[in-house]
Amino acid sequence: MTMNIRKDFVPLYITSEEIILISFFCIHLESFTTCQQTLKSNMKKKFQSVFEGITKSGNQSFLNEIYTELYITEGGSEEVNDEHEVRQIETMSWKPERAETAIRHGDIFIPSPEREEPIKTVMTTGMAGIGKTVLTQKFTLDWAEDQTNQDIQFTFPFTFRELNLLKDEQFSLVELVHHFFSETKGILKFEELKVVFIFDGLDESRFPLDFYNNEILMDVTKSTSVDVLLTNLISGKLLPKAHLWITTRPAAANKIPAEFIGMMTEIRGFTDPQKDMYFTKRFKSKKQASLVISHVKKSRSLHIMCHIPIFCWITAKVVEDMLNKKDGEELPKTLTEMYIHFLVVQAKLKVIKYDGGAETDSNWSPENQKMIKSLGKLAFDQLQKRNLIFYESDLAECGIDIRAASTYSGVFTQIFREERGLYQIKLFCFVHLSVQEFLAALHVHLTFIKSGVNLLVKGKMKSKEIEKRNHESSETEMYKSAVDMALESPDGHLDLFLRFLLGLSLETNKRRLRGFVAQTEESLAINKDTAQYIKEKLNHHGIEKSINLFHCLSELNDQSLVEEIQQSLCTGSLSAHQLSPAQWSALHYILLSSDKGLEIFDLKKYCASEEALQRLTDGVSFKKVPNNNNTITLNCLCLFRLSGCNLSEKSCEALSSFISLTTSSLKDLDLSNNDLTDSGVKLLCEGLMSPNCELEILRLSGCLITEEGCAALASALTVSSSHLKELDLSYNNPGEAGMKSLEAILKNPKNYTSVTALCLFCPSDSCPLTVDLNTVNRFLKLSDENRKVTRVEEEQPYPDHPDRFDLYQLLCTDGLTGRCYWEVEWGGKVYVSLSYRGIKRKGESDDSWFGFNNNSWCLVCSNDGYTVWHNSKKVLIPSSSSISGRVAVYVDCPAGTLSFYRVSSETLIHIYTFNTKFTEPLYPGFDQIQQPDVQFDLRKYCSTI
């Protein structure tokens, strides 16, 4: 088809007013695009390189190369956590990695499918040095490089450190943006733009932030104080469509009311794989990276601290220097050793890089010594005031030359905006609180060595305990006063300071500082006295404080108390009645420090008693119980085995509280074979009905539960929040009404219950056991359809078979993998057994005999009583007034439990339970059968509804 252009052309007439509007729009669009591209360009230059731990000087790294994705999760405590952050790190190390949804930094404003409303304001909490600032920098860099969030037109990253400098100034919001981001001066309106404001470091804010009494402001061009701008922007009155991202340490999270926060998130720091990834990226040599990773994992204190990215940086700096020296010195094992080496590295850096010295020159030049002493005084003075940010006047009071301080950048950081020119006020801080605490401890240590003055008995730091003792000026007295001060601190803010101070007392650490720290008399006796004082204190304090005291003993190289308990655990000689409070604390510490964690806890392995459970649940904690700072809970457990531990109704109240904790991750609770009764079950049901309860499996086999207890459980199962999938009520007396009530709950589709497996078997339900004829010893005779076995003197004409036992034994054909029950009537002496199929058949060694190897378990029944055997280990069961000629066996293969009972007048009386992990199907077996005969049948149970 052809077109006549001249014929078909329709003229378009534009008025002069429209030409002006189009021109204005084009100019405005060009201005907008120019501003955006200029801002992105400058953001790339600013954030593409980072100085790990250092702000103005040092070896920079490309952020995209070293960045390790941090673990951000939605949620976080609404309560203010004012504990020392080392305690918070310790707490995190105890928690298992839970199945929570991680949020990528680039998706921070993307709502989850469950959310109907868009997210306006996000608050991210995390302890100092965990990576909050780097996270916001990465977000900004990705936006500037057009990698993510391209629907966002402008990103404005602010820090409260910088905003604090404008506390007394007046700005409109537009003027404030132009002040910090001059690239945007061509833009006067932000209302219709999609912008993100980042406010990093709320915990450092010096603004009142009075959200309910501040002036209300809705005009972005009206001037007011920065404080008013912030409260109106955060509350949504100013630029209601803008997105805000606020970061803070946990203790300051409540500075902004919860109603103004759209989503709370939390940075968990590095997980174990992320620690490995960091060191792998940090070291070019895979061998060196592997060495560092392996070494850090050997030291619990180092491994815990590496949860914080900046401590990983400190570790990497130290190890890198030590590997380069190749002098064979061992890598640091304690925090004090690590920080001493870090100080040495920074001192050497200053000697070579700034002073023009040689590699062989002393690290401790007069200038270096003066600087470190001044920094130590500043650290100590400000630690007393709990200040983390200081001003020039603070430095001047300690005799610090500001220009010299900035060159010492590995330890000291300057924060100021040089490009502004108008605001030359400088803020200072140490690269991390732990560095400040180390230098503060060093200052106390140096002061005492030089002048004999104990700074800890003066002013605010003075302990109440010191007034009760003589005012000795001994070194031991100084350490005792430090211990007392740390214990008196409600939030543990001196915990790390104490560790460092005690670590500095060791001769080995003093030698590492030779040339700077004067060498004193041999301190072995002093260390011994201090360690003994700490052990005495362990008898009087809860586990949270005790954990730090054990770290202190590690710094003093005293592991005697822990080794003593470990030895008792290994030999099985631990007794709940004989442990002192200090020994209980040692047991708690060992459990929490286990490399394998506490995902599975079996009370029987420690002390099977109600007292032991009470002591442990009073001690092993991760979340404070309100109004009780010394009570904590076993909330990292996934499986809690309390079977056959002589528990009663008394224990159920504590367990009910435990399973209803918001932090509890318990999935499987085994309370079988305890006399809980209906009263105990009712208490337990209160916890089951809690919306926080995540329990999926509950085993209450043989707990003396009747119809009343079943009714309470039936009621608990109707709660909509219930996660329970499996309930074992075998070996109870639920009665017909109790059984029907539970079964009716499960069958009713209107109920919320998630239970899919209910164990309500009755021993009368049975199916016969089938003997494997190819395994029967030739001196065992079968009768009554192979259900009755008799040992005879005449050899039976069984054909040869490789599976036939040389011993007086046999196996059944049934390989058990679920839950099974059977009974045996016996006379004389019999071994009632379960075994893996691969047990040896030929010969008469332990490898063939039931109970004498790792492949079999057995109960020996005789007129003298009962004993149980496994792997040649014997447990003698206390004799009963009557020996029944009938025993029952109940095995729960998935749960790893094997229970034996004696049957008397149709009542089951518990004998013993094995707790283990079955790795293969189990085969019932019998052994050493003697006169006159033995009869048995299998009653197999696994009811699924």
Side-chain angles (χ1 to χ4, degrees):
M1 174 179 159
T2 60
M3 177 182 292
N4 189 318
I5 296 178
R6 292 193 176 213
K7 181 179 179 181
D8 296 334
F9 178 75
V10 178
L12 177 63
Y13 297 99
I14 303 175
T15 66
S16 58
E17 290 83 359
E18 289 173 327
I19 292 173
I20 293 171
L21 285 172
I22 292 172
S23 300
F24 176 80
F25 175 77
C26 292
I27 293 170
H28 182 74
L29 181 61
E30 182 180 357
S31 174
F32 168 85
T33 304
T34 302
C35 291
Q36 186 190 57
Q37 293 305 316
T38 305
L39 179 64
K40 284 190 172 185
S41 177
N42 290 338
M43 290 295 103
K44 281 191 280 188
K45 291 176 184 177
K46 182 174 182 180
F47 296 126
Q48 68 181 355
S49 299
V50 294
F51 299 88
E52 295 179 275
I54 308 170
T55 302
K56 295 297 177 186
S57 56
N59 295 320
Q60 61 181 352
S61 304
F62 286 107
L63 179 56
N64 285 333
E65 291 180 4
I66 67 162
Y67 181 75
T68 301
E69 192 72 44
L70 289 165
Y71 193 65
I72 316 169
T73 59
E74 183 174 354
S77 175
E78 295 180 2
E79 303 169 1
V80 178
N81 191 343
D82 57 2
E83 288 184 311
H84 189 290
E85 292 179 347
V86 170
R87 280 193 183 178
Q88 296 179 45
I89 300 167
E90 188 92 35
T91 297
M92 288 183 181
S93 74
W94 296 334
K95 293 181 179 179
E97 293 183 10
R98 302 178 65 169
E100 296 171 302
T101 303
I103 304 171
R104 288 190 72 258
H105 65 277
D107 301 333
I108 200 75
F109 291 108
I110 298 177
S112 60
E114 301 84 39
R115 285 181 176 269
E116 297 180 0
E117 297 293 326
I119 301 170
K120 171 181 167 54
T121 303
V122 176
M123 175 178 282
T124 298
T125 64
M127 59 195 68
I130 209 159
K132 300 184 297 296
T133 298
V134 173
L135 189 69
T136 61
Q137 290 174 350
K138 178 61 173 167
F139 176 92
T140 306
L141 179 62
D142 286 352
W143 170 78
E145 291 182 337
D146 298 331
Q147 299 295 319
T148 59
N149 293 297
Q150 290 312 290
D151 57 324
I152 295 171
Q153 291 161 311
F154 288 98
T155 298
F156 300 125
F158 293 88
T159 69
F160 276 98
R161 288 185 184 182
E162 296 166 321
L163 291 171
N164 286 338
L165 304 179
L166 308 179
K167 187 177 179 182
D168 300 323
E169 304 293 328
Q170 296 273 317
F171 291 91
S172 69
L173 182 59
V174 172
E175 289 169 343
L176 186 69
V177 171
H178 291 169
H179 176 79
F180 282 98
F181 308 98
S182 58
E183 306 91 339
T184 64
K185 285 187 176 179
I187 299 177
L188 302 177
K189 293 283 187 179
F190 292 98
E191 288 88 338
E192 301 304 321
L193 300 178
K194 188 167 185 180
V195 297
V196 170
F197 289 89
I198 296 174
F199 295 105
D200 184 32
L202 173 66
D203 49 287
E204 297 172 357
S205 168
R206 300 293 176 92
F207 297 101
L209 297 178
D210 189 342
F211 284 85
Y212 301 112
N213 295 311
N214 269 4
E215 170 194 354
I216 294 177
L217 184 69
M218 304 175 71
D219 186 353
V220 297
T221 63
K222 182 179 179 181
S223 293
T224 185
S225 68
V226 176
D227 179 56
V228 171
L229 288 178
L230 288 171
T231 55
N232 282 278
L233 189 60
I234 293 170
S235 63
K237 298 179 180 69
L238 200 58
L239 283 189
K241 294 182 180 180
H243 292 284
L244 280 72
W245 188 4
I246 302 162
T247 71
T248 181
R249 293 165 67 187
N254 65 339
K255 287 188 176 183
I256 298 176
E259 63 191 274
F260 301 131
I261 303 299
M263 181 173 72
M264 284 289 294
T265 60
E266 178 185 10
I267 298 182
R268 295 286 181 84
F270 282 166
T271 60
D272 287 352
Q274 287 172 327
K275 295 172 191 176
D276 297 352
M277 188 186 303
Y278 175 88
F279 289 119
T280 301
K281 288 183 177 181
R282 188 67 173 70
F283 290 89
K284 294 180 181 179
S285 165
K286 289 184 179 180
K287 184 178 180 181
Q288 289 185 348
S290 178
L291 175 67
V292 178
I293 292 167
S294 174
H295 177 73
V296 165
K297 288 180 178 178
K298 290 177 184 176
S299 168
R300 175 165 175 76
S301 59
L302 299 186
H303 194 240
I304 289 172
M305 287 294 287
C306 277
H307 189 75
I308 303 176
I310 202 164
F311 185 79
C312 291
W313 169 74
I314 290 173
T315 302
K317 293 289 289 183
V318 168
V319 174
E320 192 174 45
D321 178 77
M322 296 184 72
L323 292 177
N324 288 338
K325 287 194 294 189
K326 299 179 181 179
D327 57 4
E329 185 176 3
E330 287 188 2
L331 296 178
K333 295 179 181 177
T334 66
L335 283 183
T336 307
E337 291 176 10
M338 183 66 76
Y339 280 73
I340 287 174
H341 280 286
F342 178 63
L343 184 62
V344 170
V345 169
Q346 301 309 319
K348 175 63 72 177
L349 176 67
K350 182 175 181 295
V351 166
I352 297 173
K353 187 170 183 178
Y354 297 108
D355 298 342
E359 185 76 32
T360 55
D361 289 349
S362 170
N363 300 328
W364 313 116
S365 64
E367 294 80 8
N368 270 3
Q369 291 194 41
K370 181 182 177 182
M371 175 59 70
I372 294 171
K373 289 175 181 177
S374 298
L375 290 178
K377 185 178 188 313
L378 175 71
F380 181 69
D381 291 348
Q382 299 301 319
L383 186 64
Q384 292 184 83
K385 300 173 185 176
R386 298 197 177 207
N387 288 340
L388 305 180
I389 306 295
F390 343 114
Y391 295 92
E392 292 184 29
S393 57
D394 298 319
L395 272 65
E397 288 178 9
C398 298
I400 297 176
D401 184 302
I402 296 170
R403 288 172 297 178
S406 64
T407 64
Y408 212 68
S409 55
V411 178
F412 215 61
T413 304
Q414 282 192 107
I415 307 296
F416 64 101
R417 298 186 67 90
E418 294 176 326
E419 67 271 19
R420 295 299 157 208
L422 296 175
Y423 303 94
Q424 290 302 316
I425 301 175
K426 299 176 183 178
L427 299 178
F428 303 87
C429 74
F430 292 96
V431 296
H432 190 252
L433 173 60
S434 58
V435 176
Q436 182 177 347
E437 290 165 312
F438 170 72
L439 289 173
L442 182 60
H443 174 64
V444 172
H445 181 74
L446 290 172
T447 301
F448 183 84
I449 290 176
K450 182 178 179 181
S451 62
V453 175
N454 181 359
L455 294 174
L456 305 183
V457 298
K458 298 186 175 185
K460 294 181 181 179
M461 298 286 279
K462 186 175 181 179
S463 163
K464 297 175 184 176
E465 197 70 23
I466 194 71
E467 298 174 0
K468 301 177 184 178
R469 301 195 302 268
N470 294 327
H471 292 265
E472 307 171 35
S473 291
S474 68
E475 192 172 348
T476 304
E477 185 61 33
M478 178 176 67
Y479 300 134
K480 288 181 179 179
S481 56
V483 171
D484 294 334
M485 283 190 323
L487 291 173
E488 288 172 11
S489 171
D491 57 6
H493 89 285
L494 295 174
D495 283 0
L496 210 53
F497 166 82
L498 174 62
R499 280 202 237 173
F500 286 134
L501 184 62
L502 297 176
L504 287 167
S505 72
L506 284 186
E507 282 299 317
T508 51
N509 286 332
K510 288 178 181 177
R511 285 196 293 271
R512 291 185 175 99
L513 291 169
R514 185 181 286 116
F516 178 45
V517 175
Q519 302 303 295
T520 57
E521 297 178 4
E522 188 69 30
S523 56
L524 189 59
I526 294 173
N527 296 149
K528 189 175 180 180
D529 289 346
T530 306
Q532 184 57 40
Y533 186 73
I534 290 172
K535 291 173 186 177
E536 291 170 5
K537 289 294 180 181
L538 284 168
N539 287 314
H540 307 291
H541 292 277
I543 189 63
E544 285 183 324
K545 292 182 182 293
S546 295
I547 290 296
N548 192 60
L549 293 181
F550 278 103
H551 284 309
C552 289
L553 289 173
S554 294
E555 291 287 349
L556 290 170
N557 200 25
D558 187 324
Q559 306 288 347
S560 58
L561 190 56
V562 171
E563 289 172 355
E564 176 187 335
I565 298 300
Q566 285 176 326
Q567 181 63 27
S568 297
L569 287 174
C570 292
T571 59
S573 59
L574 198 65
S575 169
H577 304 290
Q578 297 173 357
L579 294 181
S580 68
Q583 290 171 320
W584 272 110
S585 294
L587 176 57
H588 297 149
Y589 178 72
I590 289 168
L591 295 177
L592 293 174
S593 301
S594 170
D595 291 338
K596 297 179 181 177
L598 277 176
E599 292 188 11
I600 299 177
F601 183 81
D602 187 349
L603 184 62
K604 265 190 174 180
K605 291 182 179 178
Y606 302 96
C607 340
S609 70
E610 197 152 48
E611 179 195 357
L613 177 64
Q614 185 65 41
R615 295 296 295 267
L616 284 170
T617 52
D618 278 351
V620 185
S621 140
F622 309 104
K623 179 176 176 62
K624 286 185 181 178
V625 175
N627 303 320
N628 188 348
N629 290 340
N630 293 330
T631 302
I632 49 183
T633 59
L634 290 155
N635 68 332
C636 69
L637 287 174
C638 292
L639 193 160
F640 204 176
R641 286 180 180 153
L642 301 173
S643 174
C645 287
N646 303 307
L647 306 183
S648 67
E649 172 190 339
K650 181 181 177 182
S651 298
C652 291
E653 186 174 1
L655 289 168
S656 178
S657 299
F658 167 54
I659 62 176
S660 61
L661 283 175
T662 56
T663 51
S664 174
S665 57
L666 188 67
K667 305 292 184 187
D668 190 333
L669 177 60
D670 186 355
L671 286 165
S672 301
N673 305 315
N674 290 294
D675 295 342
L676 304 183
T677 71
D678 293 332
S679 300
V681 170
K682 287 180 181 178
L683 291 172
L684 206 59
C685 286
E686 294 177 13
L688 289 175
M689 290 188 285
S690 167
N692 298 321
C693 179
E694 296 187 7
L695 206 62
E696 296 179 358
I697 300 172
L698 177 60
R699 306 178 197 280
L700 296 171
S701 175
C703 289
L704 304 181
I705 301 170
T706 68
E707 179 181 330
E708 188 178 353
C710 288
L713 285 165
S715 177
L717 292 178
T718 62
V719 177
S720 60
S721 60
S722 175
H723 295 273
L724 202 67
K725 297 178 181 178
E726 193 173 310
L727 176 63
D728 184 354
L729 287 170
S730 55
Y731 298 104
N732 287 292
N733 298 297
E736 187 175 349
M739 293 175 69
K740 286 182 177 179
S741 66
L742 285 166
E743 291 174 349
I745 290 290
L746 298 179
K747 292 177 180 177
N748 188 348
K750 294 182 180 180
N751 290 320
Y752 293 106
T753 181
S754 58
V755 174
T756 56
L758 174 65
C759 305
L760 286 169
F761 80 97
C762 180
S764 61
D765 299 331
S766 65
C767 62
L769 171 68
T770 302
V771 172
D772 184 347
L773 299 178
N774 292 326
T775 67
V776 182
N777 178 270
R778 286 193 171 91
F779 292 93
L780 300 179
K781 183 177 180 180
L782 302 175
S783 59
D784 290 352
E785 298 181 342
N786 295 338
R787 293 183 60 243
K788 186 174 182 180
V789 182
T790 309
R791 179 178 170 182
V792 294
E793 295 182 0
E794 302 84 10
E795 189 173 0
Q796 303 300 301
Y798 303 140
D800 290 338
H801 197 280
D803 289 345
R804 197 170 306 286
F805 284 102
D806 286 346
L807 291 169
Y808 302 122
Q809 298 181 163
L810 63 83
L811 284 177
C812 298
T813 58
D814 305 74
L816 311 179
T817 56
R819 297 184 185 86
C820 299
Y821 172 89
W822 68 94
E823 294 180 1
V824 179
E825 293 180 359
W826 60 275
K829 185 176 183 180
V830 61
Y831 287 36
V832 180
S833 313
L834 273 94
S835 170
Y836 293 147
R837 187 74 182 175
I839 190 169
K840 190 175 179 181
R841 311 305 172 91
K842 303 304 177 184
E844 299 183 0
S845 66
D846 288 352
D847 291 337
S848 305
W849 206 321
F850 292 144
F852 284 79
N853 48 69
N854 201 35
N855 292 318
S856 57
W857 298 258
C858 79
L859 170 72
V860 181
C861 309
S862 72
N863 293 327
D864 297 326
Y866 303 102
T867 56
V868 292
W869 288 83
H870 172 63
N871 207 18
S872 297
K873 293 181 180 178
K874 173 183 176 181
V875 178
L876 180 64
I877 308 302
S879 60
S880 173
S881 56
S882 61
I883 300 297
S884 169
R886 186 171 157 203
V887 293
V889 184
Y890 176 60
V891 60
D892 186 338
C893 294
T897 60
L898 168 59
S899 300
F900 297 103
Y901 302 82
R902 63 185 178 92
V903 184
S904 178
S905 302
E906 302 305 318
T907 300
L908 298 174
I909 301 165
H910 182 248
I911 298 174
Y912 189 81
T913 296
F914 285 107
N915 288 285
T916 185
K917 181 178 181 181
F918 298 119
T919 58
E920 301 176 30
L922 295 170
Y923 293 82
F926 301 89
D927 178 11
Q928 196 82 2
I929 301 171
Q930 297 179 352
Q931 48 149 352
D933 56 43
V934 172
Q935 183 177 345
F936 55 86
D937 66 81
L938 174 67
R939 297 175 178 185
K940 198 169 186 177
Y941 145 77
C942 187
S943 175
T944 302
I945 298 176

